[in-house]
Amino acid sequence: MPNSDSSAPASSTTANEAAAPVLTPLSAPRDGIPEVIDTAPALRRAVRALEAGTGDLAVDTERASGFRYGQRAFLLQIRREGAGTWLIDPETLDDLSPLREFVNEQPWILHAATQDLPCLHELGMSPTSLFDTEMAGRLAGFPRVSLGTMVGELLELQLAKEHSAVDWSTRPLPESWLNYAALDVEVLEELRQAITAVLEEQGKLDFAFQEFEYERNLPDPSPAQVPWRKLSGIHKLKSRRNLAVARELWLSREALAQSRDVAPGRLIPDRAIMAAVDQRATSVPALLQIPGFHTRNAKRDAARWVDAIKRGNSTRDLPDLRAPKPDLPHPRSWAEKNPAAANRLDAAKLVVNEVSEHWNIPGENLLTPKYLRELCWNAPARISEASVADMLENLGARQWQRGLLADKLAVALKQA
């Protein structure tokens, strides 16, 4: 197992020092573009083939962010050695249980697992263990960790990414899109092997395994406490009445977007809501003069937006000017509100920066900034390596992070 002693220097093997390779274009899957599995018999055939393969499953998903409501998967890509690549359409299949029963008993390889796992969880799918090639790249000190960049640097292959932001709810899916989707899992196993070798050389492989297990067990993201306050530009609103109008427009847009399965911004963008709050139009003709309400979608539902504005204008339920306070104040105010905590935070940041540089691991991966702030604001009554380690563990820090930081943070907090 890799040594987690903080005195062990990181290896000199980093992406920064590697000579720029000549990349070989990877333009098509080695076995050709797979068919899209969209019938029950085809799904059973895919599962049988995957069962006959060997090794971990390379898994990816394609969503329709910016086009459809929510973040569900519109295509699943699964590859296994000896079984090839399979493209599966979860939208057209009524029963995914044959696939679910198989994949839920397998280890997976993903790139940027936290982006894909929530939509896979929606389908009832989760791995027995996980290898995240993006997180591995972060821990290895790669300055850029996109799939294309890492495949280029470690495998000397050029991976096309021209279809990453298309509408994956489109049916039928164009052949060029399917080609792109298949390539996303084509080399994940090779990438896993290559980045594993780098992590082993750097003495960080155990760090990575702990991170992967942490990611695997993360709960799916929960909605914001007051989601309408996420509107772009809402910080500019200085009256409770204007906030009420913005809230009603947001709630109306959200309900309509969900019912039509369309991204809210495709109905009316945030900037249109902000302009409507400023103008307070109470008739359809007046509304249609406001920037952002000239599109076909906006015009179609103009009466709905006017009704929302009227509700905001008349409601007695006026929101507070300030959003609900987070658990901790912003660090900018610490010097005034809690000078001791501010001093602790300054000292602790120096420690994190030093260890980050020593191990060539980004500071935010070395320790979640929220954990560091919590430690400094609510420091243990008796600061010691053990009490700091205990608090970090309770917050969610992994063993490798506590091993690298607890003793040094304890010294810094005592001296602050």
Side-chain angles (χ1 to χ4, degrees), residues 184-318:
D184 267 3
V185 292
E186 181 86 3
V187 292
L188 276 185
E189 172 59 43
E190 296 171 61
L191 181 60
R192 189 263 292 269
Q193 294 176 18
I195 193 63
T196 294
V198 174
L199 289 169
E200 283 184 316
E201 183 183 350
Q202 295 180 348
K204 300 175 185 174
L205 189 56
D206 186 48
F207 301 173
F209 286 144
Q210 290 182 44
E211 285 303 292
F212 302 156
E213 187 64 8
Y214 175 77
E215 287 185 312
R216 189 178 74 89
N217 290 294
L218 273 177
D220 294 334
S222 55
Q225 184 179 356
V226 188
W228 62 268
R229 286 188 182 267
K230 296 292 184 179
L231 274 166
S232 298
I234 200 166
H235 63 282
K236 298 177 183 178
L237 301 185
K238 303 303 182 183
S239 79
R240 297 176 68 192
R241 181 61 64 189
N242 281 349
L243 285 173
V245 175
R247 178 190 63 197
E248 294 304 317
L249 280 165
W250 185 93
L251 291 172
S252 186
R253 183 184 68 171
E254 192 74 4
L256 185 60
Q258 186 171 14
S259 69
R260 291 185 182 167
D261 189 19
V262 63
R266 298 186 76 82
L267 296 173
I268 48 173
D270 284 7
R271 66 179 182 276
I273 290 180
M274 291 296 102
V277 170
D278 183 57
Q279 297 288 328
R280 301 267 196 96
T282 55
S283 70
V284 168
L287 181 78
L288 297 181
Q289 299 303 310
I290 298 174
F293 287 90
H294 300 148
T295 66
R296 184 178 63 179
N297 282 342
K299 291 178 180 179
R300 174 185 176 186
D301 301 299
R304 181 187 187 93
W305 312 131
V306 170
D307 287 343
I309 293 170
K310 289 179 178 178
R311 286 195 302 274
N313 278 334
S314 62
T315 184
R316 294 183 179 181
D317 178 19
L318 298 178

Side-chain angles (χ1 to χ4, degrees), residues 35-45 89 92-95:
E35 65 174 306
V36 177
I37 302 302
D38 56 6
T39 67
L43 183 65
R44 291 192 293 270
R45 175 163 51 88
D89 184 354
T92 59
L93 291 163
D94 295 329
D95 183 11

Side-chain angles (χ1 to χ4, degrees), residues 341-364:
N343 292 336
R344 289 192 292 265
L345 184 61
D346 289 341
K349 283 181 176 179
L350 290 176
V351 167
V352 171
N353 290 340
E354 289 171 1
V355 177
S356 169
E357 183 176 352
H358 179 81
W359 280 90
N360 192 25
I361 297 174
E364 65 270 21

Side-chain angles (χ1 to χ4, degrees), residues 38 96 100 142 162 220 223 227 260 268 335 360 382 407 414:
D38 56 6
L96 288 169
R100 186 183 302 118
F142 281 70
E162 68 270 18
D220 294 334
R260 291 185 182 167
I268 48 173
N360 192 25
R382 294 187 177 182
D407 57 341
K414 279 184 177 180

Side-chain angles (χ1 to χ4, degrees), residues 87-105:
L87 305 180
I88 299 163
D89 184 354
E91 286 286 292
T92 59
L93 291 163
D94 295 329
D95 183 11
L96 288 169
S97 57
L99 179 67
R100 186 183 302 118
E101 291 167 5
F102 169 70
V103 301
N104 286 357
E105 296 178 354

Side-chain angles (χ1 to χ4, degrees), residues 47 50-51 57 59 76 78 96-108 117 120-129 216:
V47 172
L50 289 166
E51 287 175 336
L57 303 181
V59 179
L76 308 182
I78 303 177
L96 288 169
S97 57
L99 179 67
R100 186 183 302 118
E101 291 167 5
F102 169 70
V103 301
N104 286 357
E105 296 178 354
Q106 307 300 322
W108 298 358
L117 285 175
L120 288 159
H121 292 161
E122 284 186 27
L123 299 174
M125 300 178 187
S126 58
T128 57
S129 64
R216 189 178 74 89

